[in-house]
Amino acid sequence: QLQLVESGGGLVQPGGSLRLSCVLSGFTFDNLAVGWFRQAPGKEREEVSCFNNFDGSLYYTDSVKGRFTISVDIAKNTIYLQMNSLKSADTAVYFCAADWTVQGSCPSPGYWGQGTQVTVSS
């Protein structure tokens, strides 16, 4: 059974850091696209950062460049999103996703986790 489970969200002050984790079950990373998306209240789902293992391509949305870093630990079958210098605009539910097809550099909307809430507030 294919499954993704996110963790690591929480409440953090502006300027703080969090690291999100996503454990993949039933996947191998061969030709797999993985990534992080987020959705804030009243907003559309937004691509945050993605990695395509087929060609090694990376994607970061402009608003997180220089602050967020995506990484993959193949041995642990886990995707990470290190988030530094957090802003209130980063507040959202963060989802990890995976698929063997892509739209641009990000996975097609095939498989998703349940989401983890990130709240940046004083």
Side-chain angles (χ1 to χ4, degrees):
Q1 183 176 355
L2 302 177
Q3 192 171 49
L4 302 88
V5 179
E6 303 98 331
S7 63
L11 175 64
V12 65
Q13 295 183 355
S17 297
L18 286 172
R19 188 179 72 165
L20 306 183
S21 300
C22 175
V23 178
L24 281 63
S25 299
F27 295 89
T28 67
F29 282 96
D30 294 345
N31 299 319
L32 187 69
V34 298
W36 291 93
F37 296 72
R38 66 187 180 187
Q39 187 165 17
K43 300 290 186 179
E44 296 293 324
R45 184 186 64 192
E46 177 188 19
E47 300 170 345
V48 178
S49 181
C50 300
F51 171 69
N52 184 350
N53 197 43
F54 178 75
D55 61 8
S57 62
L58 289 168
Y59 167 81
Y60 294 95
T61 191
D62 286 343
S63 64
V64 309
K65 288 180 179 177
R67 301 188 298 120
F68 290 13
T69 304
I70 190 172
S71 61
V72 177
D73 188 327
I74 295 176
K76 295 182 178 180
N77 225 40
T78 300
I79 311 164
Y80 301 97
L81 185 68
Q82 178 66 47
M83 306 185 296
N84 299 326
S85 301
L86 284 161
K87 308 172 181 179
S88 60
D90 297 317
T91 296
V93 178
Y94 284 71
F95 301 88
C96 60
D99 210 304
W100 290 270
T101 62
V102 298
Q103 50 184 31
S105 295
C106 288
S108 300
Y111 302 94
W112 299 85
Q114 83 287 353
T116 185
Q117 176 71 49
V118 172
T119 302
V120 185
S121 177
S122 298

